[in-house]
Amino acid sequence: LEIMRQVERLLARIKGYEYYRLGVLSHLSLHEPENWRHEALLGFLNLRCFRREEGLTQLAEARRKALEQGKERSLTRMLEGMGIG
C-alpha cells in the first residue's frame, strides 16, 4: 500500500492524470475503508472528471466517516483547500 500512496502523491502533481488517480485512490480506499481522506479525494476527482453523482456520493461518505472520527473540521479545511465548501 505504501507504493500506491507514493504513486498517488506523484500523480497528484501531474495535470491530466486524474483518471489514473481515480484508480489508485479507489485501490487505497478499498484497503483502508476507514480513511475519509481517500473518499474526499475520490469525490473531488470525480467532480473534476465530470462524474457528478459519484463525486457527491463520495464526498457525502467522506463526511460521514469524518464525523464518526471527530474530524469534521479537518475535512472542511481539506475541502476548502480544494475550492469546495
Side-chain angles (χ1 to χ4, degrees), residues 35-82:
N35 191 328
W36 57 267
R37 288 174 186 85
H38 297 325
E39 292 289 339
L41 287 171
L42 278 167
F44 174 71
L45 284 172
N46 272 308
L47 291 174
R48 288 204 50 183
C49 293
F50 304 102
R51 297 172 47 151
R52 183 177 183 268
E53 187 174 328
E54 294 89 344
L56 294 176
T57 299
Q58 287 176 310
L59 287 173
E61 182 63 14
R63 182 176 187 274
R64 184 190 66 75
K65 290 178 182 181
L67 283 171
E68 285 178 359
Q69 297 173 27
K71 299 291 185 178
E72 185 176 18
R73 285 187 62 182
S74 297
L75 174 64
T76 300
R77 284 193 305 269
M78 180 183 191
L79 295 177
E80 286 172 351
M82 295 176 184

Side-chain angles (χ1 to χ4, degrees), residues 21-38:
R21 285 183 72 200
L22 283 173
V24 171
L25 284 166
S26 292
H27 178 81
L28 288 170
S29 183
L30 285 173
H31 290 280
E32 298 176 326
E34 71 289 343
N35 191 328
W36 57 267
R37 288 174 186 85
H38 297 325

Side-chain angles (χ1 to χ4, degrees), residues 2-22 24-25 41 44-45 48:
E2 185 56 36
I3 291 172
M4 295 302 278
R5 284 188 206 95
Q6 291 176 11
V7 168
E8 157 37 35
R9 284 191 292 271
L10 175 67
L11 293 175
R13 299 180 204 156
I14 305 170
K15 290 188 184 250
Y17 279 74
E18 286 82 5
Y19 284 101
Y20 295 105
R21 285 183 72 200
L22 283 173
V24 171
L25 284 166
L41 287 171
F44 174 71
L45 284 172
R48 288 204 50 183

